[in-house]
């Protein structure tokens, strides 16, 4: 069985993101880049299946500039079998539909039985590429996936719902967008890291990919800084309570 | 006395001797071949120190004579010294019995006296050992038949020795010029006419045959330590105790850590042969004491047993790897992950067994080879990789604690004398940021020239290394060393014992050698040289908690105490009996800071109970417990919080107590510090 996991490289969640001087991009100097967290869960889901069925092949793909290779190597180090980068001029600025089309073209050639994506990337939170990829391929799509059980007869899919889960079944190829699950993405073994360093990562060109909807960032601004908390000390408790209620209603607007 | 080995006797003696020594040699060769399955670690540097170790640890029995074990330690020392003297006597007996030769000096009055005195002392000590095993069984001691057999054999040896001496005297077998054995002479045994010579011969034979039986039994038993302790002490690690073994050219290795018995060094296997199963390591292990799966003695014995089980198969097939020691049992990984690397076991072991190295070698296999570290440990390692700290705090905020304090960065003041390596805890943990601020206050008051690296600093790598991730440690250490080189750093202050230990003892493995001090050592100097003056403060009792990586790992017991003693109003309290080299770990070492502690009692809770108990014993509770380690502080804070006594027993860092009283421009600087600090 062959899995294809589509990943995106994003600023690591521990990085403090700053808006660049032009107000339309982030400062990339000093940013640590890593695999988007939900994509890591998607990789883990595929690798868990590979642990059970060692003949499983897990391929990784990503669209982006040369730096994206680091994310792919990280996935290889975790235990994925091979990686493909869709790069070249314009790979960085492709719109989400363009990314889906680029992935669909690659997937058609790679011929996976199952495609996994994170449910959304942690940088722009669009959650668009996965479903769009399914659409471009003409495959079904299940979202919020936390567990899979592929077999020759089809794939059982656990889809998280409010307070529970549904079990779906796909008889053929399917695109799954993955939710955080109980099993944390694995830390790579050192032999894995060493092997990943030496692995060839073939590059496909992004040239000619249909990218019908261009997105332009008009403005970026950092979230407002959190104000200091207020502490009611000494004095009349009843008065404090009244003041608190007022503040919660008028300032915090939660009442 | 002429040995009763005329005629056929000498032939019988020769046959018995050959049998006894032959059995010994056969087993010894086998054990040696097993041992050589281990990789060939060089252990011959620092010859002078090794000779000194032999004198102090082996001959003077230094590590046996430790506080809680004084009486049994002395008993052992007498058996040991007696054994040395009597071995000369035994050699003399065998030589004279076989070929009629005497050992030089064997007939001297001094030697005859020595043999007798030690025979009596050994006999008394054996009696003590019997009584202890039968009636005062130490809880952690592994009591097995083996021990009784050995004690029985030694008792037989001593009793038969005194008996044949006495009978020989009674039978007039002593030549006129010979000194009579003094103690044997005192035994007033009466022999029926003509029987003395017979008793002499019988006791002599019992003695000699027991010696040879002992030789044959020795390598089958834990008593082998009488042979292996000599080399085990000689070849003990001469690395600083706090330094783990360096893996050179790690990127070129095929396997990582102890994938097989072959991946442990020969010395690790010699440790197994040398273990006397005395249980002192287990007795002092904080993990075992709080109900964890770990038992340090079992770590050593398991490896030895695995070697004895699989040794033949591994010798037969040079390509076989055998059972990975980290998976010897299903419970093994849990045992290994329970260790805080506190070194209580290493400190206590009388025969210098290296428990931590074994545990870390097996962790290295689990972490680097199998990627099977506990999930929380994996998370901490990912955080170190991505954010440069195990908590995953934003690296860009590392220097924020110093905002507005006038603490320069090296980029701002490249000529600073000292680098203050703040460490992750004091950089990111709010409680410990106050400790960093306290140190800055003290250094500023003393006029010490120092700077920090702020965002250019990254985790020293200690947690990763102790979680078995040597690779990540090397990456982190190299990054720091490059930064230090860029600023030509020569002197480093660390307020965290883990930073201190890894930079002082482990960075030299990567070529980074600096003059490293722990902040409390420096502050002690500043006080002594009167570079800081401390103002008056309220009278209070402060318990001192020894951090493992200051105390046991680096021998820094006195400086923090001297600092406490120099603070006006402070009465220092010792957390007896768990203090100094018997200090009890807070539970956060060895990377355990970032792992859940779900089994048994939490170590920090036990530690808080020990402080309370020590307070009760001296008739008054301390108001504070002071330490010199950010992890101890976090753990103690949690401990007193869980017990609801955070108001009556406040965990602090010694630095905070100093900073609150340090005088600046004639006024206590502490007066301007926020009240919440202390």
């Amino acid at each position: 069985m062959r899995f294809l996991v589509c990943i995106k490289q994003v600023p690591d969640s521990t990085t403090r993101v700053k808006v660049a001087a032009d107000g339309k991009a982030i400062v990339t100097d000093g940013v640590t880049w890593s695999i988007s967290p939900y994509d890591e869960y998607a990789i883990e889901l595929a690798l868990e299946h590979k642990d059970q069925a060692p003949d499983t092949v897990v391929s990784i793909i990503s669209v982006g500039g040369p730096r994206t290779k680091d994310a792919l190597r990280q996935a290889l180090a975790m235990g994925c079998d091979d990686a493909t980068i869709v790069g070249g001029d314009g790979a960085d600025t492709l719109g989400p539909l363009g990314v889906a089309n680029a992935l669909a073209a690659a997937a058609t050639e790679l011929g996976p039985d199952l495609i996994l994506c994170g449910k959304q990337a942690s940088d722009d939170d669009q959650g668009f590429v996965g479903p769009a990829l399914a659409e471009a391929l003409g495959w079904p799509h299940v979202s919020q996936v936390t567990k899979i059980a592929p077999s020759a007869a089809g794939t059982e899919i656990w889809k998280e719902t409010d307070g529970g889960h549904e079990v779906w079944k796909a008889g053929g190829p399917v695109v799954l967008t993955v939710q955080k699950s109980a099993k944390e993405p694995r830390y790579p073994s050192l032999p894995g890291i060493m092997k990943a360093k030496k692995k060839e990562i073939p590059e496909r060109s992004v040239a000619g990919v249909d990218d019908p909807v261009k997105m332009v960032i008009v403005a970026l601004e950092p979230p407002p800084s959190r104000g200091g908390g207020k502490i009611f000390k000494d004095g009349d408790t009843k008065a404090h309570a009244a003041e608190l209620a007022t503040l919660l209603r008028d300032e915090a607007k939660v009442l | 006395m002429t040995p009763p080995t005329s005629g056929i006797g000498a032939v019988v003696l020769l046959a018995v001797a050959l049998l006894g020594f032959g059995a010994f040699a056969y087993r010894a060769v086998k054990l040696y071949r097993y041992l050589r399955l281990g990789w060939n670690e060089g252990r011959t540097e620092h010859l002078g120190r090794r000779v000194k170790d032999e004198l102090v640890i082996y001959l003077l029995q230094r590590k046996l004579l430790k506080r809680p074990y004084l009486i049994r330690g002395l008993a052992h020392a007498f058996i040991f010294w007696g054994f040395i003297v009597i071995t000369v006597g035994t050699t003399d007996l065998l030589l004279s019995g076989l070929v009629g030769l005497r050992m030089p000096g064997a007939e001297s009055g001094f030697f005859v006296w020595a043999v007798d005195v030690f025979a009596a002392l050994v006999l008394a000590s054996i009696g003590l050992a019997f009584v202890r095993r039968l009636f005062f069984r130490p809880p952690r001691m592994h009591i097995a038949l083996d021990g009784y057999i050995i004690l029985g054999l030694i008792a037989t040896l001593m009793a038969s020795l005194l008996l044949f001496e006495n009978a020989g005297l009674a039978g007039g077998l002593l030549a006129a010029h010979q000194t009579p054995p003094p103690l044997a002479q005192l035994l007033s045994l009466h022999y029926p006419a003509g029987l003395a010579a017979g008793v002499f011969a019988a006791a002599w034979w019992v003695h000699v045959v027991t010696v040879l039986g002992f030789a044959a039994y020795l390598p089958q038993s834990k008593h082998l330590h009488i042979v292996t302790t000599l080399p085990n002490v000689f070849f003990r690690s001469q690395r600083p105790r706090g330094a783990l073994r360096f893996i050179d050219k790690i990127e070129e290795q095929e396997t990582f850590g102890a994938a097989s018995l072959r991946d442990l060094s020969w010395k690790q296997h010699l440790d197994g042969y040398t273990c006397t199963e005395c249980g002192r390591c287990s007795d002092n292990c904080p993990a075992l004491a709080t109900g964890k799966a770990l038992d340090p003695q079992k770590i050593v014995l398991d490896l030895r047993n695995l070697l004895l089980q699989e040794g033949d198969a591994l010798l037969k097939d040079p390509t076989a790897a055998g059972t990975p020691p980290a998976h010897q049992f299903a419970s093994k990984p849990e045992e290994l992950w329970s260790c805080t690397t506190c070194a209580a076991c290493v400190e206590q072991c009388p025969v210098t067994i290296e428990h931590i190295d074994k545990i870390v070698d097996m962790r290295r296999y689990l972490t680097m080879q199998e990627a099977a570290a506990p999930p929380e440990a994996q998370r901490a390692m990912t955080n170190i990789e991505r954010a440069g700290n195990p908590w995953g705090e934003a690296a860009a905020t590392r220097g924020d604690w110093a905002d507005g304090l006038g603490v320069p960065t090296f980029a701002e003041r490249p000529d600073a004398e000292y680098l203050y390596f703040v460490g992750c805890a004091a950089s990111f943990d709010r409680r410990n940021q106050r400790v960093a601020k306290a140190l800055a206050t003290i250094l500023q008051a003393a006029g010490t020239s120092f700077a920090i690296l702020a965002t250019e600093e990254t985790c020293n790598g200690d947690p990763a290394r102790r979680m078995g991730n040597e690779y990540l440690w090397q990456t982190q250490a190299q990054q720091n060393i490059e930064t230090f080189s860029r600023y030509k750093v020569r002197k480093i202050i660390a307020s965290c014992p883990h930073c201190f230990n890894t930079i002082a003892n482990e960075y030299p493995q990567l070529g980074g050698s600096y003059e490293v001090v722990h902040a409390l050592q420096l502050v002690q100097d500043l006080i002594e040289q009167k570079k800081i003056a401390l103002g008056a403060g309220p009278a209070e009792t402060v318990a001192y908690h020894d951090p493992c990586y200051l105390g046991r790992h680096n021998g820094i017991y006195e400086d923090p105490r001297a600092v406490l003693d120099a603070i006006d109003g402070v009465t220092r309290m010792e957390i007896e009996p768990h203090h100094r080299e018997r200090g009890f770990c807070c539970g956060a070492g060895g990377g355990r800071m970032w792992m859940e502690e779900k089994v048994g009692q939490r170590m920090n809770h036990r530690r808080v109970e020990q402080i309370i108990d020590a307070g009760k014993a001296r008739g008054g509770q301390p108001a504070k417990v002071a330490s010199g380690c950010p992890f101890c502080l976090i753990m103690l804070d949690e401990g007193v919080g869980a017990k609801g006594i955070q108001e009556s027993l406040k965990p602090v860092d010694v630095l905070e107590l100093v900073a609150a009283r340090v005088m600046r421009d004639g006024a206590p600087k502490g007066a301007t510090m926020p009240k919440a600090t202390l």
Side-chain angles (χ1 to χ4, degrees):
Chain A
M1 189 157 198
R2 191 180 188 97
F3 284 71
L4 179 65
V5 186
C6 310
I7 63 172
K8 181 177 184 185
Q9 192 185 41
V10 296
D12 189 75
S13 55
T14 64
T15 293
R16 200 196 252 175
V17 175
K18 285 188 209 127
V19 176
D22 68 356
K24 293 182 180 176
I26 61 164
V27 179
T28 51
D29 272 358
V31 166
T32 306
W33 297 90
S34 55
I35 302 172
S36 177
Y38 293 115
D39 298 347
E40 284 187 310
Y41 282 100
I43 294 169
E44 182 58 37
L45 225 52
L47 291 178
E48 259 174 75
H49 183 67
K50 189 178 163 73
D51 292 341
Q52 313 292 321
D55 60 336
T56 306
V57 176
V58 180
S59 303
I60 292 288
I61 191 164
S62 187
V63 182
R67 178 188 71 216
T68 310
K69 280 195 178 172
D70 295 340
L72 293 169
R73 290 207 191 280
Q74 170 74 15
L76 290 172
M78 288 170 79
C80 298
D81 296 280
D82 59 75
T84 308
I85 181 168
V86 185
D89 283 348
D92 272 339
T93 53
L94 221 50
L97 203 49
V99 171
N101 284 335
L103 292 173
T108 310
E109 264 178 46
L110 293 167
D113 303 291
L114 213 70
I115 297 180
L116 300 176
C117 307
K119 66 168 184 160
Q120 68 203 70
S122 68
D123 54 355
D124 54 26
D125 281 334
Q126 285 176 342
F128 183 89
V129 170
L133 170 60
E135 200 60 33
L137 287 168
W139 290 15
H141 161 241
V142 181
S143 64
Q144 307 282 355
V145 176
T146 55
K147 192 174 159 187
I148 49 170
S151 69
T155 307
E156 273 191 13
I157 302 153
W158 274 253
K159 173 185 165 66
E160 190 178 273
T161 58
D162 198 6
H165 69 265
E166 298 167 352
V167 181
W168 291 47
K169 195 157 188 178
V174 61
V175 175
L176 307 174
T177 50
V178 174
Q179 164 70 310
K180 184 178 187 322
S181 60
K183 175 80 165 63
E184 286 279 319
R186 65 193 61 192
Y187 187 84
S189 73
L190 192 47
I193 295 172
M194 295 304 160
K195 254 191 266 165
K197 278 189 179 179
K198 292 182 200 129
K199 234 174 209 163
E200 284 286 314
I201 298 181
E203 180 161 335
R204 297 172 56 92
S205 173
V206 81
V209 166
D210 183 25
D211 186 20
V213 184
K214 280 281 174 207
M215 285 210 329
V216 179
I217 293 173
V218 180
L220 274 182
E221 56 184 75
S225 60
R226 250 182 282 170
K230 267 190 190 134
I231 297 173
F232 300 115
K233 267 195 198 159
D234 321 321
D236 182 33
T237 317
K238 269 192 184 167
H240 287 331
E243 200 181 339
L244 178 64
T246 316
L247 287 173
L248 287 175
R249 188 188 60 209
D250 298 345
E251 266 189 31
K253 299 193 167 64
V254 294
L255 289 180
Chain B
M1 294 174 217
T2 318
T5 51
S6 51
I8 190 80
V11 179
V12 174
L13 181 60
L14 183 67
V16 177
L18 284 177
L19 217 63
F21 290 131
F24 178 87
Y26 176 78
R27 179 73 175 174
V29 167
K30 192 167 199 166
L31 290 179
Y32 179 76
R33 293 186 64 209
Y34 290 168
L35 174 127
R36 295 309 303 230
L37 285 166
W39 65 276
N40 198 6
E41 183 182 15
R43 291 264 188 154
T44 47
E45 79 292 2
H46 300 302
L47 276 178
R49 278 199 247 162
R50 293 182 188 283
V51 171
K52 189 178 154 224
D53 281 347
E54 287 297 347
L55 289 176
V56 176
I57 300 174
Y58 185 71
L59 277 182
L60 294 180
Q61 302 270 289
R62 179 63 195 89
K63 292 196 81 184
L64 268 145
L65 302 173
K66 279 188 176 274
R67 238 188 312 154
Y69 306 106
L70 204 58
I71 292 176
R72 31 197 138 146
L74 265 177
H76 181 276
F78 284 130
I79 297 176
F80 167 75
W81 292 323
F83 172 80
I84 291 180
V85 171
I86 288 161
T87 299
V88 178
T90 304
T91 314
D92 178 57
L93 278 187
L94 288 174
L95 278 179
S96 61
L98 282 171
V99 290
L101 278 179
R102 301 299 305 260
M103 289 282 283
E107 285 177 290
S108 69
F110 172 76
F111 186 72
V112 173
W113 265 89
V115 167
D116 256 27
V117 169
F118 274 109
L121 282 172
V122 169
L123 209 49
S125 301
I126 294 289
L128 194 71
F130 260 116
V131 168
R132 183 166 152 254
R133 275 160 191 270
L134 287 170
F135 306 112
F136 308 100
R137 183 169 291 198
R140 302 280 170 238
M141 194 168 181
H142 181 71
I143 304 275
L145 184 62
D146 196 20
Y148 288 115
I149 293 177
I150 291 159
L151 290 177
L153 284 173
I154 300 175
T156 308
L157 281 177
M158 296 307 115
S160 57
L161 172 75
L162 292 171
L163 183 63
F164 82 67
E165 284 182 348
N166 181 266
L169 281 174
L173 296 172
L174 193 74
H177 69 279
Q178 287 174 320
T179 315
L183 295 181
Q185 203 175 15
L186 293 178
L187 290 173
S188 30
L189 298 176
H190 297 285
Y191 301 93
L195 257 186
V199 172
F200 167 74
W204 193 96
W205 274 105
V206 166
H207 183 81
V208 171
V209 170
T210 307
V211 166
L212 297 168
F214 202 65
Y217 182 65
L218 200 61
Q220 311 283 343
S221 81
K222 67 173 193 168
H223 211 56
L224 184 60
H225 80 272
I226 66 170
V227 179
T228 51
T229 300
L230 187 78
N232 209 55
V233 170
F234 187 81
F235 292 114
R236 81 176 178 131
S237 168
Q238 295 292 341
R239 268 179 276 133
R241 184 184 281 170
L244 293 174
R245 184 174 61 79
F246 179 61
I247 302 183
D248 199 16
K249 302 195 175 81
I250 190 165
E251 304 207 352
E252 294 165 24
Q253 305 296 317
E254 300 275 312
T255 55
F256 304 93
S260 149
L261 288 170
R262 298 180 199 276
D263 301 319
L264 291 158
S265 83
W266 63 269
K267 174 60 174 62
Q268 305 282 17
H269 295 315
L270 185 61
D271 275 358
Y273 295 162
T274 311
C275 178
T276 68
E277 301 173 26
C278 74
R280 291 185 186 196
C281 51
S282 309
D283 225 6
N284 287 278
C285 175
L288 181 61
T290 53
K292 313 292 188 285
L294 177 65
D295 176 348
Q297 175 178 276
K298 184 170 175 292
I299 294 286
V300 177
L301 295 181
D302 281 353
L303 283 178
R304 181 192 72 189
N305 293 342
L306 190 63
L307 186 66
L308 296 180
Q309 277 160 26
E310 298 193 350
D312 281 333
L314 292 178
L315 282 171
K316 215 173 280 168
D317 178 4
T319 60
T323 310
H327 294 304
Q328 191 174 354
F329 311 104
S331 63
K332 198 78 191 176
E334 199 194 326
E335 293 177 30
L336 299 171
W337 291 114
S338 302
C339 177
T340 64
T341 69
C342 78
C345 50
V346 178
E347 171 73 36
Q348 290 294 341
C349 181
V351 294
T352 68
I353 287 172
E354 295 150 11
H355 309 70
I356 295 180
D357 290 351
K358 293 176 185 55
I359 292 172
V360 170
D361 273 347
M362 288 186 269
R363 280 188 179 184
R364 282 174 172 174
Y365 171 73
L366 290 173
T367 298
M368 292 191 287
Q369 189 73 28
E370 293 199 321
E376 314 101 86
Q378 298 190 15
R379 170 53 58 193
M381 293 189 285
T382 305
N383 286 337
I384 292 173
E385 265 179 22
R386 294 184 184 174
N389 69 83
W391 283 284
E393 297 287 336
T397 62
R398 187 175 271 271
D400 289 3
W401 67 272
D403 283 351
L405 297 179
V407 174
T409 62
F410 251 92
E412 291 159 359
R413 191 165 314 154
D415 61 335
E417 182 186 358
Y418 282 100
L419 160 66
Y420 170 27
F421 191 91
V422 183
C424 304
S427 295
F428 299 108
D429 175 61
R430 277 170 176 266
R431 178 67 190 85
N432 277 293
Q433 284 175 353
R434 305 213 305 253
V435 178
K437 288 175 189 172
L439 180 59
T441 303
I442 298 166
L443 295 178
Q444 286 168 343
T448 306
S449 155
F450 76 102
I452 61 171
L453 288 170
T455 54
E456 290 185 274
E457 180 184 295
T458 186
C459 173
N460 65 62
D462 157 87
R465 195 174 211 198
R466 275 149 191 85
M467 287 171 178
N469 197 337
E470 172 75 5
Y471 184 65
L472 183 53
W473 173 76
Q474 291 193 9
T475 315
Q476 292 297 118
Q478 263 154 2
Q479 196 181 330
N480 276 321
I481 289 172
E482 276 165 28
T483 311
F484 298 167
S485 302
R486 202 165 58 243
Y487 289 116
K488 300 192 172 56
V489 169
R490 286 179 34 246
K491 296 181 179 181
I492 299 174
I493 311 168
S495 51
C496 168
H498 297 262
C499 299
F500 166 75
N501 178 69
T502 202
I503 298 174
N505 296 326
E506 296 187 322
Y507 278 24
Q509 297 173 348
L510 286 164
S513 290
Y514 315 94
E515 198 180 301
V516 191
V517 289
H518 184 267
L520 289 173
Q521 293 179 296
L522 183 72
V523 168
Q524 160 59 8
D525 275 352
L526 295 175
I527 293 173
E528 213 171 77
Q529 294 166 15
K530 304 211 174 346
K531 291 200 174 149
I532 48 173
L534 303 184
E540 57 186 4
T541 302
V542 179
Y544 178 67
H545 162 86
D546 282 286
C548 307
Y549 275 83
L550 267 195
R552 271 191 298 270
H553 277 289
N554 286 291
I556 302 171
Y557 297 109
E558 301 310 329
D559 287 331
R561 287 177 166 80
V563 172
L564 270 181
D565 292 345
I567 301 173
D568 180 67
V570 166
T571 307
R572 169 166 55 89
M573 181 193 123
E574 293 291 328
I575 308 171
E576 286 175 300
H578 303 284
H579 66 142
R580 296 187 183 267
E581 81 276 4
R582 292 194 76 208
F584 193 88
C585 179
C586 71
R592 295 278 337 163
M593 179 78 227
W594 297 274
M595 292 181 239
E596 303 259 4
E597 192 179 340
K598 293 176 204 144
V599 179
Q601 188 188 21
R602 290 179 59 102
M603 278 185 217
N604 54 338
H605 294 186
R606 175 67 60 87
R607 186 56 174 156
V608 170
E609 288 168 10
Q610 290 174 349
I611 299 168
I612 296 168
D613 289 346
K616 271 186 200 145
R618 65 183 281 286
Q621 291 299 329
K624 288 173 184 157
V625 50
S627 174
C629 173
F631 301 142
C632 294
L633 186 53
I634 293 172
M635 297 306 269
L636 290 170
D637 263 335
E638 198 278 334
V640 295
K643 300 221 173 267
I645 54 169
Q646 63 272 36
E647 293 306 318
S648 55
L649 179 63
K650 275 191 188 152
V652 292
D653 193 293
V654 178
L655 291 172
E656 295 180 283
L657 296 177
V658 175
R661 287 169 176 77
V662 74
M663 310 280 280
R664 200 178 223 189
D665 308 326
K669 172 71 176 71
T672 61
M673 289 185 75
K675 246 200 168 144
T677 306
L678 286 173

